Amino acid sequence: MPRFIPVLIILLFGAAPLLSASETKFRVKYLSVENLYIDGGRADSLSVGDRLSVKGSAGATAELEIVYVAEHSASCRILSSSGTISAGDVAILVSRAAPPQTAAPTVSTPLPADTVILPVEKETFSPRPPSQLAGSISLLFYHYDDNGRAGLDFTQSTARINLKARRLLGEELTLSIRSRGRYDNRRRSPAPEVSRHSWENRLWEFSLSYEDNAAPFNFAVGRILPRRAGSIGYIDGIIIEGRLKENWRIGLLGGVYPDWLYNNPRASLNRGGGYINFTLGDHPGLLIDQTIAALGEYHGRTVNRNYLLVQGRINFVSRFGLYHTAEIDINNDWRKEKSGKTVSLSNLYINSFYNLSGSLRVGMSYDNRQNYWSYEIRTLIDSLFDDRIRQGARARFDWNLLRRFRLGGAFGFNERSGDRRPTYTYAADISRHGFWRGKLSAAILASGFNGAFEKGTNYSLRLGFHTARFGQHGITLGRYLYKPSSGGAYRTNQWGEWRSDFSFSGNYFVGAAFQLDDGDDIRGWRAQGELGYRFR
């Protein structure tokens, strides 16, 4: 054998890692606010400190460094970038982290010449990213002093909490808590069924979730508002989501409605179903996010509702946006007898905007919310049920003029079954921001309505002051007039309000407001204060 062959073999084996590193490619799976995720992990010999280069389809580039690695996914921080990186772009491994330095062994006595010393390999562990706590907690106090003949003085004390603990145990685990405790104290009861002193507590969310778009399965358990199908509403239960393909996900959910959603706590509802979601692209480029869900709700063995939910949004480079949600009821059992239909459209909402130019934006929305027969109201008189059907539409434009002026306007209508004619609404406003060294803003607003029973107008003037040192402060003066559509004298009410919000000592914040009312319907003053802390 020629002498150079063993040397060549050694050189080839030594260069193999370098050759494979230059050709190791991964796909960008997901971009969060802070990090970028790829579809490679420890199983692909990746480790913390490795660096990658991304070249996007639109010419964008980015340099990445791995900060956390799992078995089949890795989280990277962006060292530098130009342009927008999107899911599906290719990331190429360009360098590996330097191996840890090991000190040479210290030998106190000479060893025999034939002694072989084997190097001791130390197992290295990828450091897990630290947990993050975000959100706020606050205490709020509100008082209304009624100087009218009714004398309905009212005091309210509230404690709020809205927290998210992310990356628990070094994984993509998030603990979410959103709650409120409120105590009402009235000078006297406005009605026999209203207590003078009462507690009202709400736990909107208390959940533990695992959300890693590169993982094959995600889950959420507790009191949850489904992220991909929020129109479903809150549920006490569990959601399990699996990834079918790169852009497709399927989920199953089951549980019960929270008791606080119903006046009668005995009317507990079990619900279950599933959904399929398609997501393509990312903001601010083209983003398509669509979900179709099938839900069933039962009180024991009695059906409450079976329906399909279609929900989604489409955005294109901040130039065009469309959000929609629709609920299609599948009526069976007693619901088919009450409605007389097998399939009915109960709710439809569409909201869209389009930027005609850099300074002109238009938007339109349509809302058709029809009541549906449920377990609680199945004994309701048909005429009362029909009165709850309503729909409306609204159009708006915003035009940014020269010298930081903005002009806006809106027109819409609302219609309810049984009304002689729709209620028409209109509004206009003009504002200017950033004058007097960028600290002041001013706005004039006018709005009105003309309905089947009443018509009225509302005028207000707002002045604002904002600095990084002294926070935000504003004064509003307004006047509201209305009268019966059939004629008669106007009833007027006017008010003045002062509001301030500022932060101090880093994360603490304070909010305060004072409003003085005087008119035919209301006379008195109200004050509100809030003290809180933000976790960052």
Side-chain angles (χ1 to χ4, degrees):
M1 177 185 296
R3 295 181 179 179
F4 68 87
I5 291 182
V7 177
L8 180 61
I9 293 175
I10 294 174
L11 291 176
L12 287 176
F13 273 96
L18 299 177
L19 294 174
S20 61
S22 63
E23 297 178 354
T24 305
K25 298 180 180 180
F26 305 95
R27 289 283 181 180
V28 175
K29 301 298 294 181
Y30 173 70
L31 287 88
S32 67
V33 177
E34 301 171 348
N35 293 328
L36 179 149
Y37 297 84
I38 60 175
D39 62 356
R42 281 192 296 266
D44 304 287
S45 300
L46 293 179
S47 60
V48 172
D50 292 352
R51 295 197 174 187
L52 303 96
S53 176
V54 180
K55 185 174 182 181
S57 56
T61 60
E63 299 297 325
L64 313 176
E65 183 181 54
I66 296 178
V67 295
Y68 172 69
V69 61
E71 190 68 18
H72 298 289
S73 66
S75 174
C76 309
R77 66 185 178 98
I78 301 176
L79 301 176
S80 63
S81 64
S82 63
T84 302
I85 301 299
S86 304
D89 291 343
V90 177
I92 301 175
L93 180 66
V94 295
S95 66
R96 294 190 179 273
Q101 298 294 327
T102 57
T106 301
V107 181
S108 57
T109 57
L111 299 175
D114 58 350
T115 300
V116 178
I117 301 177
L118 298 177
V120 178
E121 295 184 0
K122 293 185 177 181
E123 186 178 1
T124 59
F125 296 91
S126 301
R128 293 180 174 180
S131 300
Q132 295 180 347
L133 184 63
S136 64
I137 57 175
S138 66
L139 298 174
L140 188 144
F141 178 81
Y142 171 86
H143 176 75
Y144 171 62
D145 194 281
D146 185 2
N147 295 331
R149 288 181 294 181
L152 298 176
D153 294 358
F154 176 72
T155 301
Q156 188 176 81
S157 303
T158 305
R160 296 174 178 171
I161 180 171
N162 184 6
L163 297 176
K164 284 185 180 293
R166 297 185 175 94
R167 295 176 181 169
L168 298 177
L169 304 177
E171 302 291 342
E172 295 299 324
L173 285 171
T174 300
L175 176 65
S176 302
I177 304 174
R178 192 159 59 94
S179 180
R180 181 203 70 196
R182 175 176 292 175
Y183 176 71
D184 296 336
N185 183 15
R186 297 174 174 86
R187 179 180 176 184
R188 69 182 187 87
S189 178
E193 64 274 12
V194 179
S195 175
R196 285 186 56 203
H197 311 282
S198 62
W199 276 98
E200 185 184 80
N201 301 317
R202 290 285 188 269
L203 180 60
W204 283 288
E205 185 176 10
F206 187 84
S207 65
L208 180 67
S209 60
Y210 178 80
E211 296 182 5
D212 183 355
N213 283 354
F217 290 99
N218 291 334
F219 72 87
V221 61
R223 178 159 293 180
I224 320 158
L225 182 66
R227 183 167 67 94
R228 302 191 190 278
S231 297
I232 292 175
Y234 289 93
I235 179 176
D236 287 349
I238 185 171
I239 299 175
I240 299 176
E241 182 181 274
R243 186 179 63 176
L244 296 178
K245 292 183 179 179
E246 181 176 354
N247 304 109
W248 292 89
R249 290 171 175 82
I250 185 171
L252 298 175
L253 60 90
V256 298
Y257 264 126
D259 289 340
W260 56 265
L261 289 177
Y262 289 89
N263 295 326
N264 181 6
R266 293 175 297 177
S268 60
L269 296 177
N270 301 316
R271 64 187 333 211
Y275 62 85
I276 185 168
N277 171 266
F278 173 78
T279 303
L280 176 65
D282 197 2
H283 189 75
L286 174 64
L287 172 63
I288 301 175
D289 187 350
Q290 301 291 317
T291 298
I292 299 177
L295 279 301
E297 301 171 356
Y298 290 83
H299 176 72
R301 296 185 178 181
T302 304
V303 62
N304 180 71
R305 190 185 184 197
N306 293 321
Y307 68 102
L308 298 177
L309 170 68
V310 182
Q311 176 183 314
R313 58 176 174 150
I314 302 174
N315 287 87
F316 179 67
V317 199
S318 299
R319 185 173 182 85
F320 169 77
L322 172 68
Y323 172 81
H324 66 86
T325 178
E327 296 179 8
I328 304 171
D329 277 77
I330 310 299
N331 300 314
N332 62 317
D333 201 18
W334 64 267
R335 298 185 77 242
K336 184 176 181 180
E337 298 177 3
K338 296 288 290 186
S339 63
K341 301 177 182 178
T342 303
V343 178
S344 58
L345 177 66
S346 55
N347 292 319
L348 175 64
Y349 177 74
I350 301 173
N351 188 15
S352 64
F353 73 86
Y354 184 76
N355 288 319
L356 296 174
S357 65
S359 60
L360 181 60
R361 170 173 169 153
V362 296
M364 294 192 66
S365 64
Y366 174 75
D367 189 2
N368 185 341
R369 298 186 180 273
Q370 302 184 24
N371 197 14
Y372 57 85
W373 288 107
S374 66
Y375 172 83
E376 281 193 304
I377 63 172
R378 59 179 178 172
T379 59
L380 191 69
I381 301 175
D382 290 1
S383 59
L384 296 178
F385 174 85
D386 294 337
D387 286 345
R388 301 187 181 188
I389 300 175
R390 57 200 183 278
Q391 64 176 339
R394 181 179 174 88
R396 179 171 178 84
F397 77 91
D398 292 281
W399 186 16
N400 293 319
L401 306 176
L402 298 177
R403 301 183 63 84
R404 299 182 180 179
F405 278 96
R406 187 182 66 83
L407 178 65
F411 176 81
F413 78 92
N414 295 283
E415 185 178 35
R416 188 177 64 179
S417 299
D419 291 349
R420 298 192 305 269
R421 59 186 177 86
T423 296
Y424 295 96
T425 61
Y426 50 89
D429 60 88
I430 184 170
S431 60
R432 185 185 176 189
H433 301 272
F435 63 95
W436 196 69
R437 299 180 181 178
K439 300 177 181 179
L440 292 182
S441 62
I444 300 175
L445 305 95
S447 61
F449 68 94
N450 191 342
F453 303 102
E454 291 180 337
K455 60 181 179 181
T457 54
N458 188 2
Y459 308 96
S460 61
L461 170 65
R462 298 178 183 175
L463 298 175
F465 174 77
H466 170 73
T467 65
R469 181 178 180 183
F470 298 105
Q472 302 182 23
H473 310 272
I475 297 176
T476 302
L477 301 175
R479 182 178 176 86
Y480 172 55
L481 306 89
Y482 73 97
K483 71 174 184 178
S485 300
S486 58
Y490 274 100
R491 297 183 65 84
T492 63
N493 297 275
Q494 44 275 334
W495 75 94
E497 182 187 65
W498 162 75
R499 179 177 293 274
S500 293
D501 297 282
F502 58 92
S503 301
F504 65 96
S505 299
N507 294 343
Y508 291 94
F509 64 92
V510 171
F514 179 82
Q515 181 174 316
L516 184 63
D517 301 280
D518 182 62
D520 295 328
D521 297 323
I522 185 171
R523 290 182 181 180
W525 58 270
R526 62 193 72 203
Q528 177 177 299
E530 184 177 16
L531 171 64
Y533 183 86
R534 291 189 180 94
F535 298 88
R536 303 182 187 276

